[in-house]
Amino acid sequence: RHYSTGELERVTRRYTSEIMPMIGPERDIMAPDVGTDDRTMAWIMDTYSVNKGYTIPAVVTGKPIDVGGSLGRATATSRGVVHSARAALRETGRDLDDVTVAVQGFGKVGSHASAFFAEGGSRVEAVSDQ
């Protein structure tokens, strides 16, 4: 949180260079998580690609659309949470409109999941974040 944009880029690129033997389209595809975003994923893809000698978009997910990212990626995990909850509820004979929801974490996933739960008919009773 306290790094400048330049510092974040340098740390990300160095980290990517160090873990290159462990990542790749056929090994481990990196995805955004806490403290990262589409820009971070673009830096990882670029660093990996430069080291390999050609562009390899499949080394990461969550990159910007203009460098090969996918539409809908920003909310994909949130939609997955809601779809999973709906499937679990159906096993008990209920649906989203039968439940009250509390969401812990109101960042990239929780904020969208809260909206999708509400759209599905759930009552979003509480949300929290650090």
Side-chain angles (χ1 to χ4, degrees):
R1 291 178 199 240
H2 303 292
Y3 287 167
S4 68
T5 301
E7 289 169 324
L8 281 172
E9 182 176 4
R10 287 189 298 278
V11 165
T12 300
R13 289 182 181 278
R14 178 59 187 259
Y15 180 74
T16 303
S17 295
E18 294 297 326
I19 66 168
M20 277 193 59
M22 296 177 275
I23 63 173
E26 304 298 325
R27 304 200 86 184
D28 191 5
I29 299 169
M30 296 181 72
D33 203 346
V34 176
T36 63
D37 56 19
D38 59 344
R39 179 182 61 187
T40 310
M41 297 300 107
W43 291 333
I44 293 168
M45 183 190 85
D46 181 63
T47 303
Y48 187 88
S49 296
V50 165
N51 279 282
K52 293 293 186 176
Y54 58 98
T55 303
I56 307 172
V59 70
V60 296
T61 67
K63 58 196 161 288
I65 292 169
D66 62 342
V67 294
S70 300
L71 289 172
R73 173 62 183 95
T75 60
T77 303
S78 304
R79 289 184 189 280
V81 166
V82 176
H83 286 303
S84 297
R86 179 179 277 128
L89 286 166
R90 285 193 177 141
E91 291 291 317
T92 67
R94 299 179 347 192
D95 202 353
L96 290 178
D97 57 2
D98 298 326
V99 298
T100 300
V101 176
V103 177
Q104 167 57 44
F106 202 65
K108 294 175 203 156
V109 177
S111 61
H112 295 292
S114 297
F116 296 144
F117 275 118
E119 288 171 14
S122 297
R123 178 185 162 133
V124 180
E125 183 76 21
V127 296
S128 66
D129 200 25
Q130 65 180 10

